[in-house]
Amino acid sequence: MSAVQVSFEISPIFQRITSGLDPERARAEVTARIHAQGTAVPDELIDEITAEYQKVSTVLADTGVLYSGSCFGQLDGDWSMGSLTIGVQPLSYRDPEVAIAGMTKILAAEHGQHAEVSAITLPCGQATLVIRQSPDLRLPAEFSDSGEDLPIDVAQLQAFIPVPPSSVPGAQTLVTVTFSTPSTDHWADYCELLVPLLNSIRFRPAPEADLGAPAPEAAPSVAGGPATAFG
């Protein structure tokens, strides 16, 4: 399998997440970012953001993904947050289009009516796109008026992209882009950031590591233009 370097342009609202943070250090990073915006935030909201941030940080340490970033700020006067992850994994395929057809069929059957699953064409190649909303995140009972854990709807977009052999000969690599947010009212705003990101993804052969073993790499760059309505 040939190693693949993944490059993409990302909105400046995303800040890279530090991997392997414990809850205390996760809260310190979240608090520092919020204070940098010069806005007062309720402690219960900081707790919620910290829990999400620390969860993603732990996943990073466990899986070694290429890139993960988070964003939180105000959109139209309301606090909003989201997380973005770009990862790679081995995938055996001869033809990316056949792989996409298979993944699209399997994921559509798996998610049923709870997700929109479709095959799309990106500048970097064919992809399977999954958009779904589910109450995976829960607000602890001590923070709810009812005294019970409350489900929080989480909207998620995933793009599964087999690296085309035309870009990297011998590639047997699946790139997965995942964006999640509990701020479902701001989904349209986030989509305006995700479309340019997906369109900016490019693949090329990665230089081999020092010991000769292929190693995937990420080469993100900050996209130009307006950051967004965050602020």
Side-chain angles (χ1 to χ4, degrees):
M1 180 180 69
S2 298
V4 177
Q5 184 174 71
V6 184
S7 63
F8 51 92
E9 294 183 356
I10 189 167
S11 167
I13 74 164
F14 288 101
Q15 297 187 48
R16 200 159 195 156
I17 296 175
T18 306
S19 66
L21 291 176
D22 58 31
E24 183 177 352
R25 289 193 298 156
R27 186 181 180 88
E29 284 203 11
V30 167
T31 302
R33 292 189 187 184
I34 291 175
H35 286 171
Q37 299 186 35
T39 306
V41 179
D43 286 343
E44 58 267 25
L45 181 56
I46 293 179
D47 290 337
E48 179 184 332
I49 296 172
T50 296
E52 182 71 10
Y53 186 76
Q54 199 264 332
K55 179 173 65 176
V56 175
S57 178
T58 300
V59 170
L60 285 181
D62 293 342
T63 62
V65 300
L66 290 182
Y67 173 88
S68 187
S70 65
C71 61
F72 39 83
Q74 287 187 306
L75 280 171
D76 301 324
D78 295 325
W79 282 98
S80 188
M81 64 180 294
S83 61
L84 173 69
T85 301
I86 299 176
V88 298
Q89 63 188 87
L91 179 70
S92 297
Y93 55 95
R94 293 183 179 179
D95 185 337
E97 292 187 1
V98 175
I100 288 297
M103 285 191 297
T104 302
K105 182 178 180 179
I106 291 171
L107 290 170
E110 177 182 334
H111 294 297
Q113 298 180 347
H114 301 292
E116 297 180 14
V117 182
S118 59
I120 62 173
T121 301
L122 298 172
C124 65
Q126 298 291 311
T128 295
L129 185 69
V130 180
I131 298 176
R132 64 193 182 99
Q133 185 170 329
S134 62
D136 293 332
L137 187 66
R138 305 188 73 83
L139 182 68
E142 56 265 33
F143 300 130
S144 69
D145 293 336
S146 65
E148 299 178 353
D149 287 355
L150 295 177
I152 301 175
D153 283 340
V154 176
Q156 184 182 79
L157 177 149
Q158 286 188 297
F160 300 90
I161 314 168
V163 177
S166 58
S167 298
V168 182
Q172 293 286 276
T173 304
L174 178 68
V175 174
T176 303
V177 179
T178 303
F179 174 78
S180 300
T181 176
S183 308
T184 55
D185 289 344
H186 301 146
W187 182 248
D189 298 283
Y190 286 122
C191 285
E192 291 182 4
L193 304 177
L194 298 174
V195 171
L197 166 64
L198 293 174
N199 285 331
S200 74
I201 294 174
R202 296 292 186 273
F203 307 122
R204 65 184 178 89
E208 290 189 349
D210 292 340
L211 297 179
E217 299 180 3
S221 63
V222 177
T228 64
F230 267 85

